[in-house]
Amino acid sequence: MTAIVNGLEQEYNGILDCDIQDATTEESRARIQGFGFANHGLVVFDRSGTLRAKLDGHMLGEREIRAAIETALQEEKGG
């Protein structure tokens, strides 16, 4: 998933910022549980910090990740 997200960050240069967190720290585990994930997941926020998409799991594919990003971008634009 990291390679996909990093590639999309380059593709959406200036629009998408990715922050990959270490899921093994105590702070990260608390945040993961706060999002309702068991172990790993992907969250997508718009520029104002509003949560727009949440995908549970570690083995997410590019299609799922891209769809979550596109949904977030459309919702931010009001579409």
Side-chain angles (χ1 to χ4, degrees):
M1 182 167 74
T2 300
I4 295 168
V5 172
N6 286 336
L8 290 172
E9 183 176 31
Q10 291 177 4
E11 180 181 328
Y12 287 88
N13 186 24
I15 297 172
L16 178 67
D17 291 322
C18 298
D19 182 16
I20 298 169
Q21 306 260 323
D22 178 356
T24 63
T25 68
E26 187 173 326
E27 180 182 335
S28 291
R29 283 193 300 268
R31 290 183 71 206
I32 289 166
Q33 290 176 352
F35 287 119
F37 301 146
N39 296 311
H40 294 87
L42 173 78
V43 290
V44 180
F45 299 92
D46 66 16
R47 291 176 193 215
S48 67
T50 301
L51 179 65
R52 296 293 186 177
K54 207 168 69 159
L55 301 172
D56 191 10
H58 181 66
M59 301 302 290
L60 301 169
E62 182 176 350
R63 184 178 299 166
E64 296 166 289
I65 295 169
R66 187 178 291 277
I69 291 167
E70 288 297 326
T71 296
L73 292 173
Q74 289 303 314
E75 288 178 2
E76 184 177 23
K77 293 178 185 176

